[in-house]
Amino acid sequence: MPLALLANTAATGVLIGLILTVQLVHYPLFAAVGRAEWPAYAAAHARRITPLVAPWMALELATSLWLAAAPPPGVPRAPAWAAAGATLLTWGVTLLVNGPAFARLARAWDDGLHRRVVRANWLRVALWTGRGALLLFLLGQAR
C-alpha cells in the first residue's frame, strides 16, 4: 500500500477523532466554565490542544499534496486533488475563521460568539469526515 495514502488516511482518521471530540465534548463544555475563569481556561485549552492537532494537520497537508501530485497506481487523479482541496479548505477555515473567532472568545466569554464558533466548526467536521470517506474510497482503488 502506498505510503502517502496510508499516512494521509491515518492523519485524517486521527483528525476526525479530534475534531469530533472538540465539537461534541470540549466546545459544549466551554459554556460551563465561569466567566472569571474563562480566559485562563481558554489559554490552557489552546496550549494543550495545539501540540496535539498541529503535527497531524501538518502531516495531513504534506501527504495530501504528495498524494495529489503523484497519485499511486490505481488512484484516480481527480479524487486525489479533491481530497487535497478539502485539506486546503480546512486549513483556510481554521486560519481565517475558527482560529480568529476562538482567539476573540478566549479574551472574554461571549454567548453569541461561542455559538458562532460552534456553528462554524461544523464545517471543519464535515470537511474532515468527507475527506475520510474519500480516502477510504482511494484506499480501495490503490494497487
Side-chain angles (χ1 to χ4, degrees), residues 14 19 82 102 120:
V14 168
I19 198 68
F102 182 80

Side-chain angles (χ1 to χ4, degrees), residues 13-36:
V14 168
L15 289 165
I16 290 168
L18 286 169
I19 198 68
L20 286 170
T21 301
V22 166
Q23 184 70 8
L24 301 174
V25 178
H26 289 239
Y27 280 2
L29 289 174
F30 284 1
V33 177
R35 301 291 192 264

